[in-house]
Amino acid sequence: MDRGGGHYREGDPRPGAGEARRPDDDWRAIGEFRPAGAADAASTAGASRMVSGNGATICPDCGELVQARDRFCEECGRPSDLVVAGAAFKAAAPACTDCGAAAVSPDGYCEQCGMRQPNGREHIEIALEGERNRVPAAGISDRGLRRSRNEDALALVSLPGRVVCAVVCDGVATAPGSEEAAQLAAETGVSFLARRLTAGAPADSATRSAAGRAARAVAGLGGADHNSPACTYVSLVVDADTVTVGWVGDSRAYWLANGSSALLTEDDSWAVQKIARGELSTDEALADPRAHLLTGWLGADAGHVEAHVRTFVPAGPGLVLACSDGLWNYLPDPPALTAAASGEGDPLGAARRLVQAALDGGGHDNVTVALIPFPPTDSSQANATAEHSRENRR
């Protein structure tokens, strides 16, 4: 399948059209949606553990960068109770990996031959390790087969009391600095989620606040109108009873379970907007070249950002998936995703199968997935591990 990858905002040029999706209406067969404000508070206490694709995190109090080696935020003095693993934005290589020249620019390009240097984000695998070798969450972000860099980002956090959170972000293709925007949004969002939930905030309130904090962080990167760093955003909070989803843009969340899989989000896209307003039929909207245009995103030119928030009560066990469009462009239907994820092993194995399915389909875009089993395993003693590979091409 040959799909146009990446993201385009309204006002940006975009080739081709994509497929817009809406959540299924028949929730009774798979679970129940609660209206915003009706979710129970996530009662948690103690330290949290986070993994991201970066070697640093964002202080939830003041928003300053906190390096993994730091025990305190240098700006406000807050103790660093988030355990971070991985390394994303590595310093540029001292010599070009292609021609050997020592002239590598700060933005990662060889000044001699022009080749972009690997930065460690070409393929990232993350797993939270819980008690008795159970994995309470896992995620993978892959550059894909056609892109020169990975502009997706993900972060995971486990909290005491069987609460696991994830954030996936996808940089807008036409926006400079989208790689940094996605990474900043993912880390800010999951850090603030952990902070709010640990303080006893309800999951829906924490989700909305975290998305708002991430939006402000990305807006702070600046830039001119329609030329500022931008990204999409989707978050998960999974506890023993509910799944709370927040999103802006067209990164999606799915419920995966045999016989009851469903899309949990509704794209912020031109096609979905036209269908919802009754201005076009589904077939007419999806056939339009503007179908995939984003109508919601994080960035300085996004205006006021208000995340969509939904709380879902599953009727039984399953997997909760957050992903970028690099996956759902190839597997948009929930049953197909469930089939692709199925197999032996833990959530990391399922994540690998989903990413491979996208690569087998063409891999035209970056592919990022985060998977959390429901109900979550006890992760109060979780350890965070991450693996990075510069190349994972076929």
Side-chain angles (χ1 to χ4, degrees):
M1 183 186 303
D2 187 3
R3 299 243 186 179
H7 288 90
Y8 298 79
R9 298 166 289 190
E10 283 192 305
D12 291 338
R14 176 176 175 83
E19 180 178 3
R21 301 278 303 176
R22 298 173 66 96
D24 293 340
D25 294 324
D26 185 12
W27 297 111
R28 293 297 175 184
I30 61 172
E32 175 188 1
F33 261 125
R34 291 184 182 175
D40 295 332
S43 178
T44 60
S48 59
R49 295 183 177 272
M50 182 186 78
V51 184
S52 75
N54 200 343
T57 187
I58 304 299
C59 176
D61 285 347
C62 68
E64 289 298 311
L65 195 68
V66 180
Q67 298 298 328
R69 64 180 179 273
D70 294 341
R71 297 181 60 190
F72 297 89
C73 174
E74 294 183 358
E75 182 68 21
C76 69
R78 177 185 181 272
S80 179
D81 59 6
L82 294 175
V83 179
V84 185
F89 292 103
K90 297 182 179 180
C96 175
T97 57
D98 187 48
C99 71
V104 177
S105 64
D107 60 357
Y109 288 90
C110 175
E111 296 178 351
Q112 184 71 28
C113 69
M115 180 179 177
R116 181 178 175 85
Q117 303 302 294
N119 66 358
R121 299 195 66 248
E122 287 75 20
H123 182 86
I124 299 170
E125 295 190 355
I126 295 172
L128 299 181
E129 297 179 356
E131 292 182 335
R132 297 181 295 277
N133 295 321
R134 293 178 179 176
V135 177
I140 297 177
S141 186
D142 190 275
R143 188 185 69 190
L145 302 176
R146 305 295 180 89
R147 294 302 180 99
S148 63
R149 58 185 177 182
N150 186 1
E151 295 178 339
D152 286 1
L154 79 155
L156 304 172
V157 59
S158 62
L159 305 172
R162 299 175 67 190
V163 179
V164 184
C165 310
V167 174
V168 168
C169 298
D170 187 353
V172 172
T174 56
S178 59
E179 183 177 9
E180 180 184 2
Q183 191 70 44
L184 180 61
E187 293 182 351
T188 302
V190 86
S191 297
F192 200 70
L193 266 176
R195 184 71 168 171
R196 295 287 294 145
L197 291 170
T198 301
D204 58 347
S205 174
T207 294
R208 189 172 287 106
S209 296
R213 179 64 66 95
R216 291 194 293 275
V218 175
L221 294 175
D225 287 348
H226 288 286
N227 199 35
S228 57
C231 65
T232 67
Y233 178 98
V234 62
S235 69
L236 305 174
V237 177
V238 181
D239 60 35
D241 301 309
T242 62
V243 174
T244 302
V245 182
W247 76 96
V248 179
D250 67 354
S251 290
R252 294 182 176 181
Y254 287 85
W255 169 250
L256 306 183
N258 289 328
S260 62
S261 300
L263 174 63
L264 302 179
T265 54
E266 183 174 303
D267 298 344
D268 284 323
S269 69
W270 184 91
V272 168
Q273 186 179 80
K274 293 296 182 181
I275 295 168
R277 292 175 176 174
E279 297 175 6
L280 293 174
S281 69
T282 299
D283 290 342
E284 290 171 336
L286 296 181
D288 194 285
R290 297 166 290 182
H292 231 17
L293 285 173
L294 290 176
T295 57
W297 61 87
L298 307 188
D301 61 346
H304 176 69
V305 175
E306 185 71 28
H308 311 280
V309 178
R310 282 177 173 157
T311 298
F312 173 62
V313 184
L319 285 172
V320 189
L321 166 69
C323 65
S324 64
D325 69 342
L327 175 64
W328 67 254
N329 265 334
Y330 296 103
L331 294 170
D333 295 322
L337 284 168
T338 302
S342 297
E344 297 182 358
D346 57 23
L348 183 58
R352 287 170 176 164
R353 288 188 286 273
L354 287 171
V355 170
Q356 191 60 53
L359 297 180
D360 291 343
H364 284 78
D365 201 357
N366 307 146
V367 187
T368 299
V369 305
L371 281 172
I372 304 175
F374 178 89
T377 61
D378 186 357
S379 56
S380 60
Q381 302 297 322
N383 293 311
T385 62
E387 296 180 3
H388 297 258
S389 172
R390 290 185 181 274
E391 293 296 334
N392 190 41
R393 307 278 74 78
R394 298 183 299 173

